[in-house]
Amino acid sequence: MKVQVTESGTWRRTLEIEAPAEDVEKRLDVAYRKYSKTLNLPGFRKGKVPLSVVKKQFGPAIRGEVVQEMVEELYREASEAEGIQPVSQADIEDIDYDEGKPLVVKASVDVRPEIQAEHYSGLEVTRPVLPMNDEQVDAQLNYMREQNAVEEIVERGAEIDDVILADVEELDEAGEPVPGTRQEDQRIRLMKDEDDKPTEVAEQLDGVAADEVRELKLKRPVQSEAHDHDHEGEDQEPKEEEVTFRVAVKSVQKRTLPELDDELAKDAGDFETLEDLKNRIREDIQTQSDQAARRRVEENIVDTLIEKNEFEVPDSMVETYLDGAVESYKREHQGHDHDIDEDAIRADGREHAERGVKRYLLLDSIGEQENVEVTEEDVDKHLETMSARHNIEGPRLREMLGRSGQLDQIQSDLKVEKTFDFLIAQAKIEDVEEKLIGYFSRSVSESAKETLIDSANCFPFANKEIHLRSERKKVTKAHGFGNQTVYCGSKWKK
Amino acid sequence: MTNHHAIIRRPIITERASDLQEKHGKYVFEVLAQANKIDIRRAIESMFDVDVVKVNTNNMHGKLKRLGRFQGRRSNWKKAVVTLAQGHSIDFFEG
């Protein structure tokens, strides 16, 4: 076997492999014999078909099969012999074989970039500090009160904070009910908006009593047919239409929030006093913000590393990354009836994917250079916390993870974590105070992000988080990767 | 008898036939039952562009076949074993 390797791109190699004619003949002969033994041909007893007949009748098909088999083998052997670490499927560009001549294969493949991460000690990064205040605790407590509210039917007109039980249907222009829009026993809560004014619904339903029927005029955005992702964020003012609803009230219910006292704490769980509950909430918020800060430091480190280590990544690695992203997006949106625009996801996610690949390669290289290793104890410790959290016995958990191959995943996650431990220990970290503005339940498309960033007067962060300074912005349509959190740091003010 | 393709119905490819072919250069065909040895020789020579040394023929009796209680008989047919001149051959799978 003769192999010739040429560089056809930074991380792409083209292999030209030549296998001598005799080798191919030998393989062919074996294949013909195998077929003659198993062929079931009319006029011949099983296994008695002469080679010449096999060759004549099935020659081309068998040859194709053997050559294909050999190509795969040759490629494997050649890449092993040449020490090539492929990160993509090989592209077989050319197969050349005629009887009695050598078999020549030309294959291209992306190789794993050999990078040597540099300048990774003493990185200067910022750590977002989310100072905790009682507002957050109060918000959580209020949420809990809302959850535990008691509702009772009252014989009076509805007021703000009341809940109305009603049958609702849409009316057309002639005042006739639109078929299929009737919804029975709907709970409608009369609320105030952020400016402390009653919402449109609340205003129009003010004072409504049981057994009363009232018509409601509401604006709703016109649903456009086109799902064009490019125009998100551009249409700042979506078209609206006015719709009339008929609300037949069945009952008015008054909501009473539980008092903020020790009783509430006892109801909420294993707490003696309200102070205990508050402490617990504080602890939880602290843990969350600590975790968030750690993640952000990690990502800041990655961004700095990427800045300091410039290199190209092979397309195929990015594509593989995107494949995973598309897969997980599909999984997340299983059963939803909207179409999945794979191309849009890929286009939006490309930059993110590139960063992901770089992150992986850099961390791997640093881990290698610094001999970061994951010991059995590390894994055991991690499994212990996991088994406590999921309430599964240790040995069973280990078996479950081992079977699904997640144990390897945990090992590599732990390695990344340890690498970060090392990097953080070495880094010069500056704390920056930040304010949490809010969360997006889903991440946001590129164009929507730009709008957000613009309006918030903040710089985008390289890892695609959005740093908003103020104002809550509505994002109408969104797709992308995972959850994203919106922060604002003074550091990124324009 | 000028339609050669009507005379030569199909080659017979069986263990025995391929043995004859490989060892003795003899080719076996199913032929029109009415065709004589001369017709067969001419048809083979012109269809495959070969020299024929000898033609042997057998009249084959159709087999008795039974499907449940019904009994039938396959048609009788004629088999021809054609011996080609030295150095001549026919490739069945190419035509």
Side-chain angles (χ1 to χ4, degrees):
Chain A
M1 183 177 72
K2 277 188 275 183
V3 189
Q4 203 184 351
V5 184
T6 45
E7 280 187 26
S8 46
T10 325
W11 304 117
R12 199 165 175 80
R13 303 282 175 274
T14 303
L15 294 125
E16 235 186 281
I17 313 162
E18 195 185 301
E22 308 90 74
D23 284 7
V24 190
E25 301 286 310
K26 237 187 257 167
R27 291 285 296 263
L28 275 174
D29 203 52
V30 172
Y32 289 143
R33 270 173 214 285
K34 194 183 102 201
Y35 269 87
S36 93
K37 287 282 167 253
T38 53
L39 261 181
N40 217 344
L41 210 61
F44 297 91
R45 286 169 295 164
K46 199 171 178 188
K48 299 285 183 185
V49 184
L51 282 188
S52 60
V53 174
V54 176
K55 247 187 241 180
K56 268 187 192 151
Q57 211 157 344
F58 304 101
I62 297 175
R63 252 199 308 281
E65 202 175 292
V66 168
V67 166
Q68 200 55 46
E69 233 171 70
M70 282 194 78
V71 164
E72 274 159 40
E73 250 168 61
L74 285 170
Y75 162 71
R76 225 181 5 254
E77 278 170 31
S79 56
E80 220 163 86
E82 296 293 321
I84 286 172
Q85 284 191 11
V87 290
S88 68
Q89 285 277 12
D91 250 339
I92 308 290
E93 285 165 1
D94 198 17
I95 300 174
D96 191 16
Y97 174 69
D98 278 321
E99 254 188 298
K101 285 196 188 135
L103 169 66
V104 182
V105 185
K106 211 170 147 189
S108 286
V109 67
D110 280 340
V111 293
R112 189 198 155 92
E114 289 165 26
I115 57 151
Q116 195 77 4
E118 291 171 333
H119 319 293
Y120 55 79
S121 58
L123 293 171
E124 288 176 19
V125 289
T126 55
R127 169 166 41 209
V129 183
L130 292 166
M132 204 185 16
N133 51 31
D134 285 340
E135 249 172 64
Q136 284 163 294
V137 180
D138 288 346
Q140 181 62 31
L141 283 173
N142 271 336
Y143 176 72
M144 290 172 82
R145 285 176 70 201
E146 286 285 342
Q147 291 297 94
N148 290 317
V150 182
E151 291 170 1
E152 54 182 335
I153 296 177
V154 287
E155 298 295 329
R156 59 162 171 77
E159 293 167 5
I160 286 291
D161 276 342
D162 282 352
V163 172
I164 295 169
L165 196 68
D167 296 342
V168 182
E169 59 193 337
E170 202 180 314
L171 300 182
D172 60 15
E173 276 158 26
E176 293 297 318
V178 180
T181 57
R182 188 177 167 81
Q183 285 178 307
E184 292 188 0
D185 293 336
Q186 291 294 301
R187 286 168 50 87
I188 305 169
R189 175 121 179 249
L190 303 190
M191 288 188 295
K192 284 181 180 170
D193 62 13
E194 288 149 33
D195 305 328
D196 217 26
K197 278 191 290 200
T199 57
E200 249 180 289
V201 177
E203 210 169 335
Q204 295 185 51
L205 285 178
D206 188 38
V208 78
D211 300 327
E212 194 182 327
V213 177
R214 201 175 272 195
E215 283 183 9
L216 213 58
K217 285 192 191 320
L218 291 176
K219 286 197 171 63
R220 76 169 166 207
V222 177
Q223 279 174 3
S224 60
E225 299 277 304
H227 293 287
D228 199 347
H229 294 284
D230 295 339
H231 295 300
E232 277 165 39
E234 279 174 31
D235 41 312
Q236 296 279 332
E237 280 175 47
K239 280 185 194 156
E240 289 185 338
E241 58 180 350
E242 202 178 66
V243 196
T244 313
F245 292 97
R246 178 183 287 158
V247 182
V249 180
K250 286 182 167 169
S251 68
V252 177
Q253 295 174 3
K254 182 174 177 252
R255 278 170 66 88
T256 318
L257 297 185
E259 284 302 311
L260 200 57
D261 54 17
D262 293 352
E263 275 312 301
L264 178 73
K266 278 179 191 149
D267 282 346
D270 215 3
F271 305 104
E272 282 296 311
T273 62
L274 184 63
E275 207 44 47
D276 285 348
L277 176 62
K278 278 188 182 171
N279 284 338
R280 175 58 183 277
I281 293 174
R282 253 182 228 121
E283 262 171 47
D284 284 353
I285 294 175
Q286 192 58 51
T287 329
Q288 269 176 26
S289 78
D290 283 352
Q291 279 171 358
R294 157 90 187 198
R295 270 198 304 278
R296 295 278 302 286
V297 169
E298 287 178 1
E299 295 319 312
N300 288 354
I301 285 179
V302 170
D303 286 332
T304 322
L305 280 174
I306 289 176
E307 246 169 58
K308 293 192 175 198
N309 293 276
E310 251 180 54
F311 63 94
E312 265 178 58
V313 290
D315 251 356
S316 54
M317 283 183 97
V318 177
E319 290 301 328
T320 318
Y321 194 101
L322 285 170
D323 288 344
V326 170
E327 271 313 301
S328 69
Y329 184 83
K330 278 187 185 162
R331 246 199 323 278
E332 259 175 58
H333 293 81
Q334 225 167 29
H336 294 226
D337 53 358
H338 62 83
D339 292 341
I340 292 175
D341 188 347
E342 231 177 83
D343 292 338
I345 300 174
R346 283 181 174 271
D348 273 359
R350 179 156 284 278
E351 218 178 300
H352 185 85
E354 253 178 50
R355 179 179 183 277
V357 173
K358 282 185 178 176
R359 178 185 195 271
Y360 163 72
L361 289 170
L362 283 168
L363 289 177
D364 202 55
S365 157
I366 295 169
E368 204 85 339
Q369 289 177 57
E370 296 299 331
N371 293 323
V372 175
E373 259 164 44
V374 179
T375 58
E376 268 309 298
E377 288 107 71
D378 293 332
V379 179
D380 286 344
K381 224 167 99 190
H382 184 84
L383 286 181
E384 247 169 61
T385 46
M386 262 183 98
S387 76
R389 191 165 353 124
H390 298 295
N391 219 354
I392 303 172
E393 278 168 44
R396 233 188 88 212
L397 181 73
R398 186 180 267 272
E399 195 204 311
M400 270 163 61
L401 294 173
R403 217 182 311 137
S404 61
Q406 276 172 310
L407 219 49
D408 294 338
Q409 183 62 40
I410 288 174
Q411 278 213 334
S412 63
D413 284 353
L414 284 175
K415 190 171 176 191
V416 168
E417 203 182 310
K418 282 186 109 175
T419 312
F420 273 129
D421 284 343
F422 166 82
L423 287 168
I424 289 171
Q426 299 263 319
K428 291 181 197 131
I429 295 175
E430 182 199 345
D431 286 349
V432 178
E433 210 166 275
E434 279 198 338
K435 202 171 135 203
L436 182 62
I437 304 275
Y439 297 97
F440 284 112
S441 58
R442 249 189 271 163
S443 65
V444 185
S445 81
E446 271 323 295
S447 44
K449 267 177 206 164
E450 269 161 39
T451 322
L452 280 164
I453 291 156
D454 263 4
S455 57
N457 236 2
C458 277
F459 282 122
F461 214 174
N463 65 5
K464 305 232 145 188
E465 275 174 0
I466 310 159
H467 300 268
L468 286 180
R469 251 189 86 228
S470 59
E471 278 182 274
R472 196 182 298 162
K473 283 276 157 184
K474 228 188 250 167
V475 182
T476 45
K477 247 201 261 170
H479 61 78
F481 302 90
N483 284 331
Q484 280 181 330
T485 313
V486 187
Y487 295 99
C488 179
S490 52
K491 183 101 200 237
W492 298 286
K493 248 188 288 177
K494 254 185 197 168
Chain B
M1 288 261 184
T2 46
N3 188 353
H4 302 315
H5 285 279
I7 295 170
I8 309 297
R9 287 237 166 107
R10 66 184 180 99
I12 308 263
I13 301 161
T14 60
E15 257 181 78
R16 176 154 192 263
S18 46
D19 215 39
L20 281 175
Q21 186 181 320
E22 271 165 32
K23 292 189 181 136
H24 308 287
K26 293 180 177 183
Y27 291 80
V28 186
F29 298 90
E30 181 187 332
V31 295
L32 193 69
Q34 292 79 6
N36 61 32
K37 291 182 178 179
I38 298 164
D39 296 333
I40 295 165
R41 170 194 291 266
R42 284 191 189 140
I44 296 286
E45 284 185 341
S46 86
M47 274 168 73
F48 300 106
D49 196 19
V50 287
D51 286 347
V52 173
V53 176
K54 180 168 81 173
V55 177
N56 297 80
T57 57
N58 288 20
N59 277 312
M60 309 298 290
H61 281 276
K63 286 177 180 174
L64 215 58
K65 288 284 165 179
R66 175 189 277 289
L67 187 74
R69 61 196 172 92
F70 303 105
Q71 185 172 294
R73 178 185 281 282
R74 285 189 176 169
S75 319
N76 294 340
W77 56 285
K78 185 178 266 186
K79 180 162 83 176
V81 180
V82 179
T83 311
L84 299 188
Q86 274 282 321
H88 287 248
S89 70
I90 297 173
D91 193 345
F92 290 136
F93 303 102
E94 271 178 15

CSV table of all heavy atoms in Angstrom, one decimal, chain A residues 170-179 215 217 220 241-246:
chain,number,residue,atom,x,y,z
A,170,GLU,N,-65.6,34.2,20.8
A,170,GLU,CA,-65.2,35.3,20.0
A,170,GLU,C,-66.4,35.6,19.1
A,170,GLU,O,-67.2,34.7,18.7
A,170,GLU,CB,-64.1,34.8,19.1
A,170,GLU,CG,-63.3,36.0,18.5
A,170,GLU,CD,-62.1,35.5,17.6
A,170,GLU,OE1,-61.4,34.5,18.0
A,170,GLU,OE2,-62.0,36.0,16.5
A,171,LEU,N,-66.7,36.9,18.8
A,171,LEU,CA,-67.8,37.3,18.0
A,171,LEU,C,-67.2,37.9,16.7
A,171,LEU,O,-66.2,38.5,16.6
A,171,LEU,CB,-68.6,38.4,18.7
A,171,LEU,CG,-69.2,38.0,20.0
A,171,LEU,CD1,-70.0,39.2,20.6
A,171,LEU,CD2,-70.1,36.8,19.9
A,172,ASP,N,-68.0,37.6,15.6
A,172,ASP,CA,-67.6,38.2,14.3
A,172,ASP,C,-68.2,39.6,14.2
A,172,ASP,O,-68.8,40.1,15.1
A,172,ASP,CB,-67.9,37.3,13.2
A,172,ASP,CG,-69.4,37.1,13.1
A,172,ASP,OD1,-70.2,37.8,13.7
A,172,ASP,OD2,-69.8,36.1,12.4
A,173,GLU,N,-68.0,40.2,13.0
A,173,GLU,CA,-68.4,41.6,12.9
A,173,GLU,C,-69.9,41.8,13.0
A,173,GLU,O,-70.4,42.8,13.5
A,173,GLU,CB,-67.9,42.1,11.5
A,173,GLU,CG,-66.5,42.6,11.6
A,173,GLU,CD,-65.9,42.7,10.2
A,173,GLU,OE1,-66.6,42.8,9.2
A,173,GLU,OE2,-64.6,42.6,10.2
A,174,ALA,N,-70.7,40.7,12.7
A,174,ALA,CA,-72.1,40.8,12.8
A,174,ALA,C,-72.6,40.6,14.2
A,174,ALA,O,-73.8,40.6,14.5
A,174,ALA,CB,-72.8,39.9,11.8
A,175,GLY,N,-71.7,40.3,15.1
A,175,GLY,CA,-72.1,40.0,16.5
A,175,GLY,C,-72.4,38.6,16.7
A,175,GLY,O,-73.0,38.2,17.8
A,176,GLU,N,-72.1,37.7,15.7
A,176,GLU,CA,-72.5,36.3,15.9
A,176,GLU,C,-71.2,35.5,16.4
A,176,GLU,O,-70.1,35.9,16.0
A,176,GLU,CB,-72.9,35.7,14.5
A,176,GLU,CG,-74.2,36.2,14.0
A,176,GLU,CD,-75.3,35.9,14.9
A,176,GLU,OE1,-75.4,34.7,15.4
A,176,GLU,OE2,-76.2,36.8,15.1
A,177,PRO,N,-71.4,34.5,17.2
A,177,PRO,CA,-70.2,33.8,17.7
A,177,PRO,C,-69.5,33.1,16.6
A,177,PRO,O,-70.1,32.6,15.7
A,177,PRO,CB,-70.9,32.8,18.7
A,177,PRO,CG,-72.3,33.2,18.9
A,177,PRO,CD,-72.7,34.0,17.8
A,178,VAL,N,-68.2,33.2,16.7
A,178,VAL,CA,-67.4,32.4,15.7
A,178,VAL,C,-67.3,31.0,16.2
A,178,VAL,O,-66.9,30.7,17.3
A,178,VAL,CB,-65.9,33.0,15.6
A,178,VAL,CG1,-65.1,32.3,14.6
A,178,VAL,CG2,-66.0,34.5,15.3
A,179,PRO,N,-67.7,30.1,15.3
A,179,PRO,CA,-67.7,28.6,15.7
A,179,PRO,C,-66.3,28.2,16.1
A,179,PRO,O,-65.3,28.6,15.5
A,179,PRO,CB,-68.2,27.9,14.5
A,179,PRO,CG,-68.7,28.9,13.5
A,179,PRO,CD,-68.1,30.2,13.9
A,215,GLU,N,-69.5,42.3,26.6
A,215,GLU,CA,-68.7,42.2,25.4
A,215,GLU,C,-67.4,42.9,25.6
A,215,GLU,O,-67.4,44.0,26.2
A,215,GLU,CB,-69.4,42.7,24.2
A,215,GLU,CG,-70.5,41.7,23.7
A,215,GLU,CD,-71.2,42.0,22.5
A,215,GLU,OE1,-70.8,43.0,21.8
A,215,GLU,OE2,-72.2,41.4,22.1
A,217,LYS,N,-63.7,44.3,23.9
A,217,LYS,CA,-63.0,44.6,22.7
A,217,LYS,C,-61.5,44.6,23.0
A,217,LYS,O,-61.1,45.4,23.8
A,217,LYS,CB,-63.5,45.9,22.1
A,217,LYS,CG,-64.9,45.9,21.5
A,217,LYS,CD,-65.1,47.1,20.7
A,217,LYS,CE,-66.6,47.3,20.3
A,217,LYS,NZ,-67.3,46.1,19.8
A,220,ARG,N,-55.5,42.5,19.1
A,220,ARG,CA,-54.5,41.4,19.0
A,220,ARG,C,-53.7,41.5,17.7
A,220,ARG,O,-54.2,41.9,16.7
A,220,ARG,CB,-55.1,40.0,19.2
A,220,ARG,CG,-55.8,39.5,17.9
A,220,ARG,CD,-56.2,38.1,18.0
A,220,ARG,NE,-57.2,37.8,16.9
A,220,ARG,CZ,-58.1,36.8,17.0
A,220,ARG,NH1,-58.2,36.1,18.1
A,220,ARG,NH2,-58.9,36.6,16.0
A,241,GLU,N,-55.4,43.9,15.1
A,241,GLU,CA,-56.8,44.0,14.7
A,241,GLU,C,-57.7,44.0,16.0
A,241,GLU,O,-57.2,43.5,17.1
A,241,GLU,CB,-57.2,42.8,13.9
A,241,GLU,CG,-57.0,41.5,14.5
A,241,GLU,CD,-57.3,40.3,13.7
A,241,GLU,OE1,-57.9,40.5,12.6
A,241,GLU,OE2,-57.0,39.2,14.1
A,242,GLU,N,-58.9,44.5,15.9
A,242,GLU,CA,-59.7,44.6,17.1
A,242,GLU,C,-60.7,43.4,17.0
A,242,GLU,O,-61.3,43.1,16.0
A,242,GLU,CB,-60.5,45.8,17.1
A,242,GLU,CG,-60.9,46.1,18.6
A,242,GLU,CD,-61.7,47.5,18.6
A,242,GLU,OE1,-62.8,47.5,18.0
A,242,GLU,OE2,-61.2,48.4,19.2
A,243,VAL,N,-60.7,42.7,18.1
A,243,VAL,CA,-61.6,41.5,18.2
A,243,VAL,C,-62.6,41.7,19.3
A,243,VAL,O,-62.2,42.2,20.4
A,243,VAL,CB,-60.8,40.2,18.5
A,243,VAL,CG1,-61.6,39.0,18.1
A,243,VAL,CG2,-59.5,40.2,17.7
A,244,THR,N,-63.8,41.2,19.1
A,244,THR,CA,-64.8,41.3,20.2
A,244,THR,C,-65.0,39.9,20.8
A,244,THR,O,-65.1,38.9,20.1
A,244,THR,CB,-66.1,41.7,19.6
A,244,THR,OG1,-65.9,42.9,18.8
A,244,THR,CG2,-67.1,42.1,20.7
A,245,PHE,N,-65.0,39.9,22.1
A,245,PHE,CA,-65.3,38.6,22.8
A,245,PHE,C,-66.5,38.8,23.7
A,245,PHE,O,-66.8,39.8,24.2
A,245,PHE,CB,-64.1,38.3,23.8
A,245,PHE,CG,-62.9,37.9,23.0
A,245,PHE,CD1,-61.9,38.9,22.9
A,245,PHE,CD2,-62.6,36.6,22.6
A,245,PHE,CE1,-60.7,38.6,22.2
A,245,PHE,CE2,-61.5,36.3,21.9
A,245,PHE,CZ,-60.5,37.3,21.7
A,246,ARG,N,-67.3,37.7,23.8
A,246,ARG,CA,-68.5,37.7,24.7
A,246,ARG,C,-68.1,36.9,25.9
A,246,ARG,O,-67.7,35.8,25.8
A,246,ARG,CB,-69.7,37.1,24.0
A,246,ARG,CG,-70.9,37.1,24.9
A,246,ARG,CD,-72.1,36.4,24.3
A,246,ARG,NE,-72.7,37.3,23.3
A,246,ARG,CZ,-73.4,36.8,22.3
A,246,ARG,NH1,-73.6,35.5,22.2
A,246,ARG,NH2,-74.0,37.6,21.4
